[in-house]
């Protein structure tokens, strides 16, 4: 038995070394964003330092401030794409605002630019005396809460699968982020214009099915044999880390280091009420997340397989002794976890927006935070934890830089666990 465990540990370390080797290979090395958006912010020829700007588009949202010369610049990943540059007028001197030279633009502090073939775009704002286009704090808060709820529900789809796998097998699956990435990549190759170009209503469900098949295959060829040999949880965790690295750089080998876009990712926002704006994709994503989560809850509480899953999560030994086929249930759990992760990957590709080879790894810690915050091994706890994490991530960006918004969720996680170590819906376990 010791030899089997040592072999599993060596296998995991080998996968990790393969991943590290891939990071050192020039052909697979992550590319820096090769294109640039820059500009100047001046008032009567004098530079304005410390003015904040937000650049949103493929690759995610970025924040930057002007330097002592009034200059700013950011790197972006894609040509031929539209980027939205917003100057924060609250960071301008008192009585100064962004003014439209012709007086026809209601939002002169917001500009849309397209990255051309040259790979360089300059965005300048006309600064002068005038009234600022101010969005109230309440409107901003409502907008962030809705975005946080959307992000939290999407995160819940992935976190529920991660929690189910842990509850039934004891595996902390660090490769779950790559299962999320796989769903987005599969969707791109099925519906993308340069691939099979299937209609979205056919391609996206098929991508979810492929993700479920990935979960089944990983369990059949890797996790089930290791379970049967009673490999320890530490060795299993090492194997999952190695698998994560191997899959991640395999994705980069096939799609490169750039950002890919799914159809309809550039849909215009629709004003709803106040300053709240959502695109059709945003509303559809919310609806799909809610419907799938409700359907999953009904499956978990009403179906025979769902009840067996809960029984194994509560007490695997007692469940096996009562006649439940643990292997069959665990197999179904991996299939469900893969499908939910694939769906989360498609929705996350619209939320970012864009598909990158490491997009799943970017939210892996948030998934673990949601699972631990809600209570290890509980699906409902993962749902509650994911919604809390999503709201914290978005709402906290009202006070802290966007680059630090993920850290706020992890900080709250630490604080809550200091007072309730078992998580919100977890049960206190007796040790010793």
């Amino acid at each position: 038995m010791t030899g089997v465990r040592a072999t599993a540990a060596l296998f995991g370390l080998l996968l990790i070394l393969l991943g590290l080797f891939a990071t050192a290979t020039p052909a697979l090395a992550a590319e820096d964003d090769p294109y640039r958006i820059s500009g100047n912010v001046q008032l009567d020829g004098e530079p304005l330092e410390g003015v904040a700007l937000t650049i949103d588009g493929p690759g995610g949202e970025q924040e930057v401030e002007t330097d002592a010369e009034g200059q700013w610049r950011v790197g972006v990943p894609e040509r031929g794409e539209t980027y939205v540059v917003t100057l924060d007028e609250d960071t301008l001197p008192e009585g100064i605002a962004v003014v439209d030279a012709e007086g026809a633009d209601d939002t002169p502090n917001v500009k849309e630019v397209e990255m051309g073939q040259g790979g360089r775009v300059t965005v300048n704002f006309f600064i002068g005396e005038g009234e600022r286009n101010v969005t109230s704090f309440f409107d901003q808060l409502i907008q962030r809460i809705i975005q946080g709820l959307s992000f939290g529900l999407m995160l819940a789809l992935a976190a529920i699968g991660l929690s189910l796998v842990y509850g039934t097998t004891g595996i902390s699956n660090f490769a779950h982020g790559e299962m999320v990435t796989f769903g987005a990549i599969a969707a791109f190759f099925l519906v993308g214009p340069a691939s099979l170009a299937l209609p979205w209503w056919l391609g996206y469900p098929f991508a979810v099915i492929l993700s479920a098949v990935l979960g089944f295959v990983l369990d059949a060829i890797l996790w089930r044999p290791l379970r049967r040999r009673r490999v320890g949880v530490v060795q299993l965790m090492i194997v999952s880390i190695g698998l994560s690295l191997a899959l991640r750089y395999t994705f980069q080998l096939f799609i490169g280091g750039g950002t890919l876009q799914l159809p309809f990712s550039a849909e215009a926002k629709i004003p709803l009420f106040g300053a709240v704006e959502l695109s059709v994709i945003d509303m559809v994503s919310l609806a799909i997340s809610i419907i799938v989560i409700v359907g999953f809850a009904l499956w978990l509480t009403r179906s025979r397989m769902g009840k067996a899953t809960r029984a194994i999560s509560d007490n695997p030994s007692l469940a096996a002794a009562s006649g439940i086929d643990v292997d069959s249930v665990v197999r179904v759990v991996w299939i469900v976890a893969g499908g939910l992760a694939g769906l989360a990957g498609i929705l996350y590709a619209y939320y970012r927006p864009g598909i990158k080879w490491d997009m799943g790894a970017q939210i892996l810690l948030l998934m673990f935070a949601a699972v631990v915050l809600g209570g290890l091994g509980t699906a409902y706890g993962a749902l509650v934890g994911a919604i809390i994490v999503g709201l914290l991530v978005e709402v906290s960006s009202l006070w802290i830089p966007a680059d630090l918004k993920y850290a706020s969720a992890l900080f709250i996680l630490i604080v809550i666990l200091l007072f309730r170590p078992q998580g919100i819906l977890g049960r206190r376990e007796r040790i010793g």
Side-chain angles (χ1 to χ4, degrees), residues 37 194 242 269 280 300 312 333 339 356 369 374 391 402:
I37 302 177
K269 301 285 186 180
V280 174
L300 195 63
I312 294 174
V333 165
K356 288 201 73 173
L391 290 172

Side-chain angles (χ1 to χ4, degrees), residues 154-166 171-184 211 214-215 218 223 237 239-241 243-245 247-248 251 333-345 359-368 371 382:
M154 180 277 300
L155 190 67
L157 293 173
I160 286 172
L162 182 64
S163 182
L164 278 180
V165 168
Y166 178 84
I171 299 174
S172 298
N173 184 20
F174 282 83
H176 201 75
E178 278 56 56
M179 298 174 71
V180 172
T181 307
F182 178 84
S211 299
L214 175 65
L218 289 177
W223 302 119
M237 183 182 65
V239 171
S240 74
I241 294 173
L243 178 63
S244 170
L245 291 171
L247 289 175
R248 193 180 313 166
F251 294 153
V333 165
W334 275 104
I335 293 172
V336 171
L340 291 176
L343 177 59
M359 58 183 286
Q362 295 173 359
I363 60 170
L364 179 64
L365 286 181
L366 293 183
M367 287 189 279
F368 274 108
V371 171

Side-chain angles (χ1 to χ4, degrees), residues 189-414:
F189 280 107
L190 289 170
V191 305
S195 53
L196 295 181
L198 297 176
W200 65 266
W201 52 266
L202 178 61
Y204 288 162
F206 194 51
V208 174
I209 292 173
L210 288 178
S211 299
V213 171
L214 175 65
F216 170 78
V217 170
L218 289 177
D219 179 57
I221 67 175
L222 182 61
W223 302 119
R224 186 181 180 189
L226 293 178
R227 284 199 311 272
R228 287 188 168 183
R229 288 167 175 80
R230 300 185 182 277
V231 175
V233 292
V234 175
Q235 290 92 331
L236 291 175
M237 183 182 65
I238 294 174
V239 171
S240 74
I241 294 173
L243 178 63
S244 170
L245 291 171
L247 289 175
R248 193 180 313 166
Y249 291 102
T250 300
F251 294 153
Q252 190 192 25
L253 177 64
F254 282 98
I255 69 172
T259 302
L260 308 175
Q261 297 295 333
L262 291 175
F264 317 115
S265 59
E267 287 288 310
K269 301 285 186 180
I270 300 175
L272 298 179
F273 55 91
V276 176
E277 296 181 341
L278 293 175
S279 68
V280 174
I281 293 295
D282 295 332
M283 291 183 278
V284 170
S285 296
L286 268 169
I288 290 175
S289 299
I290 293 172
I291 291 172
V292 172
I293 289 174
V294 171
F296 171 80
L298 292 175
W299 174 82
L300 195 63
T301 56
R302 303 289 179 84
S303 71
R304 184 175 181 180
M305 184 62 69
K307 293 177 181 178
T309 301
R310 292 162 55 202
I312 294 174
S313 181
D314 288 339
N315 193 322
S317 300
L318 182 59
S322 63
I324 295 176
D325 187 347
V326 175
D327 271 345
S328 297
V329 173
V330 170
R331 187 182 305 117
V332 171
V333 165
W334 275 104
I335 293 172
V336 171
L340 291 176
L343 177 59
I346 297 172
L347 299 183
Y348 186 45
Y350 282 110
Y351 176 84
R352 293 186 70 243
I355 301 169
K356 288 201 73 173
W357 59 280
D358 62 344
M359 58 183 286
Q362 295 173 359
I363 60 170
L364 179 64
L365 286 181
L366 293 183
M367 287 189 279
F368 274 108
V371 171
V372 176
L373 182 61
L376 285 171
T378 63
Y380 293 120
L383 171 61
V384 173
I387 292 176
I388 293 175
V389 168
L391 290 172
L392 285 173
V393 164
E394 286 296 337
V395 174
S396 64
S397 61
L398 291 172
W399 295 281
I400 63 176
D403 292 340
L404 295 177
K405 63 182 183 180
Y406 288 171
S408 64
L410 301 178
F411 174 75
I412 296 298
L413 168 68
I414 295 172

